[in-house]
Structure formats: structure tokens, C-alpha cells
Amino acid sequence: MVTLTYFGHSCFLIEGAGRKILIDPFITGNPLAPVKKEQLKVDYVIITHGHGDHFGDSIFIAKNSNAVVISNFEIASYVEKQGCKMHPLHIGGAAEFDFGRAKLTIAHHGSSLPDGTYGGSPAGVLLEIDGRRIYHAGDTALFYDMKLIGEKGLDVALLPIGDNFTMGPEDALEAVKLTAPAVVIPMHYGTFDLVKQDPQAFKQAVEKETDAKCIVLKPGESYQLR
Ligand code: NI
Ligand code: MN
């Protein structure tokens, strides 16, 4: 069984194969975060790109948990210098971990780190855990190659709908059509005024126009894949 728990913005805890994987831990300064950074003890921290609303509390949580940070080479090197364990990947590259497999996928966005350091290319991540395939798109525009990401089948796609900095609801709907997941969970909305959206309207559009089921999670809520 794989469980996804939403902590607001683009932060998800994924539990499966006896491991805990935290993606984009923006907790401090996230008005929607239902937990404190001290509460998060995990095995892996995945960072899609360097922006503060994704890099977030990565260093604190990774050190506090003795977790391995998985990110692109530039971000992995950056956190290693600050004392974190890390595994560097880069776009298109996958590796096996004790939870399964992780591959970095393209994302059209930026990636500077909070202190201005170059953060390499932004990414999405495709995870295989307990036989399930989960795609976290990171921050990105819509791109047609999403079709390739979905081609082997996706159990869950985590897609930004906030607009302004990423895809908005209309493009995210196209992303659902391209990736064809069984379940889509919207993210990267509602945190700030600039990314205000109505997730229920998105859910209606998805379920009207595609075969995917749309699950809207409130921060702190979980979704289980059985
Ligand atoms: Ni960003
Ligand atoms: Mn962002």
C-alpha cells in the first residue's frame, strides 16, 4: 500500500515499501502547512528545484532525519556542502533506491536557490514504489512530452494548477489528458493570492473531460492507493 499525505503547496509525504519520502518540504513560511518541520522524520527528501517554496526546510529535515536528499547534481552538491547525505540525479536519469525507483523528468521553469546559487535545471520526478507509478510535476509549464511520462501508465499525477508561476487549471487539464493518470491530485494553489484557484472547478473539468479521478486533498489529508 502506498499513502500520499499533502502538506500544502507542492509538499507531499509518500509512504510505501516501508519508507517515507518527502517531496518539496516547504513547511516554514507556508501558511497552509499543517505540521512543523520538527515533526517530519523521513528516509528521503526529494527537491524538484531550488525555489524557496520547494527547497524549503530540506536541509533541516534531512539532517534531523539523517535522510538522503535526492535532487539534481547542483542542488545535491549544495546540500552536501551543508552536511546532508545526498544522491545526485539529472534530467532523464533514474536510480534504484530501497523504496523503488526515482527518475528526474523535464520541467519548464527556473531553479535558483534561495541564496542566489545556481540550482541547475528544474525537474519533475517519476517514482515507482510498491509497483505504483507516481509523477510529481514540480513547477512547470505544460509540455507535450508529458505524454511520454504517462505512456507506461500512471497511478497518480501531482500537477500544479496555481497559474502565474506554473500551469493554470486549463493547461493542467491538458496535462491530465497527456499523462492519462488514474488519479490526479492538484497542487501549488491557494498558498498565496497569486496562485489562488478553485480546485473543485478543476476536479469537475477533469472528471467531465477525462477518465481520471481527481482527488482534492486539504493540507493534512491523505490518499491511499490500495
Ligand atoms: Ni518554482
Ligand atoms: Mn513554486
Side-chain angles (χ1 to χ4, degrees), residues 34-204:
V35 289
K36 299 256 176 283
K37 63 182 177 183
E38 291 81 5
Q39 292 169 265
L40 295 170
K41 294 280 181 117
V42 299
D43 301 293
Y44 295 90
V45 176
I46 297 178
I47 308 167
T48 61
H49 65 290
H51 291 160
D53 58 321
H54 298 260
F55 187 85
D57 299 297
S58 292
I59 290 174
F60 177 89
I61 294 167
K63 283 189 184 172
N64 199 35
S65 307
N66 199 27
V68 176
V69 173
I70 300 172
S71 193
N72 70 22
F73 176 78
E74 289 83 357
I75 294 173
S77 303
Y78 180 84
V79 300
E80 186 182 40
K81 278 192 205 124
Q82 302 193 41
C84 298
K85 293 196 289 186
M86 61 81 162
H87 183 111
L89 292 174
H90 231 303
I91 309 298
E96 300 291 337
F97 298 89
D98 60 4
F99 61 80
R101 191 171 165 84
K103 180 194 252 189
L104 290 191
T105 59
I106 60 172
H108 293 297
H109 193 65
S111 181
S112 52
L113 284 150
D115 68 359
T117 303
Y118 174 61
S121 303
V125 64
L126 181 61
L127 296 170
E128 293 179 26
I129 306 171
D130 271 346
R132 302 298 194 146
R133 292 165 62 83
I134 299 165
Y135 170 50
H136 185 298
D139 277 1
T140 186
L142 176 65
F143 55 93
Y144 199 77
D145 288 358
M146 283 181 177
K147 194 165 167 47
L148 290 171
I149 295 170
E151 244 164 25
K152 287 182 183 162
L154 282 181
D155 293 287
V156 181
L158 309 172
L159 300 177
I161 66 161
D163 218 339
N164 197 80
F165 298 113
T166 66
M167 296 188 287
E170 285 178 21
D171 282 355
L173 176 60
E174 294 307 308
V176 176
K177 293 176 186 172
L178 289 170
T179 54
V183 168
V184 57
I185 301 176
M187 63 177 183
H188 210 271
Y189 67 91
T191 328
F192 313 108
D193 283 347
L194 281 175
V195 295
K196 213 168 184 176
Q197 293 297 337
D198 177 0
Q200 294 302 333
F202 176 69
K203 176 182 167 75
Q204 277 188 1

Side-chain angles (χ1 to χ4, degrees), residues 10-31:
S10 297
C11 182
F12 286 86
L13 175 67
I14 300 178
E15 296 171 87
R19 295 289 179 272
K20 293 184 178 190
I21 301 145
L22 187 64
I23 306 179
D24 286 355
F26 173 44
I27 305 297
T28 304
N30 175 358

